[in-house]
Amino acid sequence: MIRPLYSLVLIGAQPLLRRKLRRRGVAEPGYLEHVEERFGRYEAPTDPGRLWIHAVSLGETRAAAILVEALRRARPEVRILLTHGTATGRAEGQRLLREGDAQAWLPWDTPRAVRRFLDHFRPSAGILMETEVWPNIAAECQARAIPLALANARLSPKSLSQARRLGGLSRPAYGALRAVWAQTRNDARRLAEAGATVQGVFGNLKFDASPDPAQLAQGRDWRSTSPQPVVMFASSREGEEAQFLQAIAAHPEVQWLLVPRHPQRFDEVAALAAQAGFTVARRSTWDDAPAPAQVWIGDSLGEMPLYYALADAALLGGSFAPLGGQNLIEAAACGCPVVMGPHTFNFSEAAELAQEAGAARRVGSMEEGVRVAVELVRDRHARVQAVQASEEFAAAHRGAAEKTAAAVLKLIS
């Protein structure tokens, strides 16, 4: 009885979803595009048989890009259907599309919308990235014998507790998955407790990402022109920037770089820095070099390798508020040492391994984080060691892409 009740709640909430999309669309117009796809309605017929990969947001789409590249190396003719839940994820996903591929919003998890989605696209199999398991989608794929797997899978202790509380919904959904490939042994254990069939621990796909060489070169070139050490606050989240701006006021000897996680907040964060009394220069206004200012604002998408190469060290966004932390793997791959706050439960094992390897340092507060970052960039010997540790840490954990691609191809063969 629980899933039908869940479905009734979602059906009743559809007007609220439309209202939410209109609100989000004010800041991010992408949310106003192809709205009817959210309800399983599509404008044109499409060919069946694509491999469906669902990447809800920006981070999952970047992980999906690594998997797609590995799949195409092994089977160049593979056709992909990419689905998303956020505008940034969909915009990033457009870069992955080739002739014969398709892209759409993942439908709202009501029985009718899910049936329309599967009737329209008729995928050969579905690959959900990291955490996105929906009860009606899982049940309908199982009923149609469409193999559905969870790749690069993770499950935090907090999410496991939530799954236990909603066991009547979550356990059948996890149980309907044909396969789960976990990032870590701890993730595998928690996923099994939630009811999933875990078939492998492959590591994190994001370790297999190769930073754009041109961006790295540009960032390092710009770094060479700065007379001061550069410290970045990477992928900052709402509520953290005010703490950061307060903490850096005592350190004018450092060039500060602030890169917000969400593009719809670029203007807000730039205004916040100006209101705090700092001079501000935004990446979008730079010509051949960063403009002089106390705080640089990284207001562009897809340029994190450039920013990491420009910085001597980075504070990890999402870890100074109880948000679970952002991914530190890209920083390590770019050779940028990380200072992280107390909240890294979304990437707990990666954070612990990075700390053990010397690629990251743990602090208890923003004020301490700023102080530790400043000390690190002032100490040339310590920073050289941290850069080497970061690169070695990233290299030591590669290999998930080939393992995951091989498992996916077995699933659809």
Side-chain angles (χ1 to χ4, degrees):
M1 291 295 295
I2 294 181
R3 189 159 60 86
L5 289 173
Y6 158 83
S7 299
L8 285 173
V9 170
L10 291 189
I11 291 168
Q14 287 186 9
L16 298 178
L17 173 63
R18 289 185 180 275
R19 190 179 307 168
K20 180 180 178 181
L21 292 172
R22 287 195 294 271
R23 287 200 305 269
R24 294 292 298 271
V26 173
E28 294 182 84
Y31 281 100
L32 302 179
E33 298 175 1
H34 311 288
V35 169
E36 291 307 309
E37 292 179 357
R38 304 272 191 178
F39 305 93
R41 300 186 183 97
Y42 305 92
E43 297 175 358
T46 188
D47 297 329
R50 293 184 178 91
L51 173 63
W52 163 37
I53 299 177
H54 176 60
V56 60
S57 192
L58 183 62
E60 291 85 354
T61 304
R62 287 174 175 167
I66 299 164
L67 175 58
V68 168
E69 183 180 350
L71 287 167
R72 285 176 169 154
R73 283 197 301 269
R75 191 177 293 183
E77 73 277 10
V78 68
R79 295 180 305 137
I80 303 295
L81 163 65
L82 274 177
T83 61
H84 311 276
T86 70
T88 52
R90 185 160 182 158
E92 182 76 9
Q94 288 178 348
R95 306 181 187 189
L96 308 182
L97 301 180
R98 293 183 180 179
E99 185 177 356
D101 295 339
Q103 189 178 38
W105 296 116
L106 184 74
W108 193 234
D109 194 40
T110 62
R112 181 175 293 181
V114 170
R115 287 195 296 269
R116 286 171 175 165
F117 169 76
L118 294 175
D119 287 344
H120 182 78
F121 288 106
R122 290 175 286 167
S124 59
I127 309 299
L128 311 174
M129 300 301 299
E130 300 199 6
T131 61
E132 284 281 300
V133 180
W134 292 93
N136 282 322
I137 288 174
E140 190 65 23
C141 284
Q142 186 178 45
R144 298 181 183 219
I146 298 172
L148 188 65
L150 187 64
N152 214 41
R154 57 185 174 89
L155 190 68
S156 70
K158 180 180 178 181
S159 295
L160 176 59
S161 296
Q162 293 173 343
R164 285 170 173 161
R165 286 197 299 273
L166 300 172
L169 276 177
S170 64
R171 182 161 286 275
Y174 280 110
L177 299 174
R178 185 73 62 88
V180 172
W181 307 303
Q183 292 186 18
T184 70
R185 288 188 297 273
N186 286 333
D187 287 315
R189 174 182 53 77
R190 288 189 287 266
L191 286 158
E193 289 182 33
T197 300
V198 180
Q199 293 190 351
V201 178
F202 293 163
N204 194 325
L205 284 165
K206 293 172 185 175
F207 278 110
D208 288 330
S210 297
D212 186 320
Q215 289 193 29
L216 291 177
Q218 180 69 82
R220 288 167 183 156
D221 180 59
W222 282 350
R223 170 62 190 91
S224 68
T225 66
S226 174
Q228 298 173 306
V230 179
V231 176
M232 171 169 65
F233 188 13
S235 299
S236 66
R237 302 283 293 275
E238 187 172 5
E240 293 184 314
E241 292 99 354
Q243 298 177 46
F244 170 75
L245 292 167
Q246 183 177 0
I248 67 173
H251 299 282
E253 73 278 17
V254 169
Q255 174 64 61
W256 299 100
L257 169 61
L258 177 53
V259 184
R261 171 67 174 171
H262 297 117
Q264 67 269 27
R265 299 188 60 246
F266 288 158
D267 292 343
E268 173 192 344
V269 173
L272 193 65
Q275 290 165 10
F278 295 99
T279 56
V280 173
R282 298 174 61 156
R283 164 71 179 102
S284 57
T285 67
W286 298 352
D287 293 322
D288 297 329
Q294 293 168 306
V295 176
W296 292 332
I297 303 291
D299 61 343
S300 62
L301 287 175
E303 289 195 317
M304 288 306 291
L306 182 150
Y307 294 132
Y308 281 125
L310 177 56
D312 295 299
L315 297 159
L316 183 66
S319 69
F320 293 92
L323 300 169
Q326 299 302 140
N327 176 27
L328 54 75
I329 294 171
E330 188 172 18
C334 296
C336 184
V338 165
V339 178
M340 54 192 178
H343 307 288
T344 55
F345 53 80
N346 284 337
F347 306 95
S348 56
E349 188 157 332
E352 291 170 9
L353 291 171
Q355 189 174 359
E356 291 172 6
R361 301 184 181 196
R362 172 87 67 181
V363 296
S365 67
M366 179 67 75
E367 184 177 3
E368 184 186 2
V370 167
R371 178 176 56 79
V372 168
V374 171
E375 290 173 355
L376 176 61
V377 298
R378 281 176 172 172
D379 186 336
R380 183 179 181 279
H381 178 68
R383 185 183 174 275
V384 167
Q385 287 186 319
V387 168
Q388 183 178 351
S390 298
E391 294 171 344
E392 291 175 352
F393 167 70
H397 291 85
R398 293 189 179 116
E402 300 302 326
K403 294 175 185 176
T404 306
V408 170
L409 293 176
K410 285 182 181 178
L411 196 68
I412 62 176
S413 59

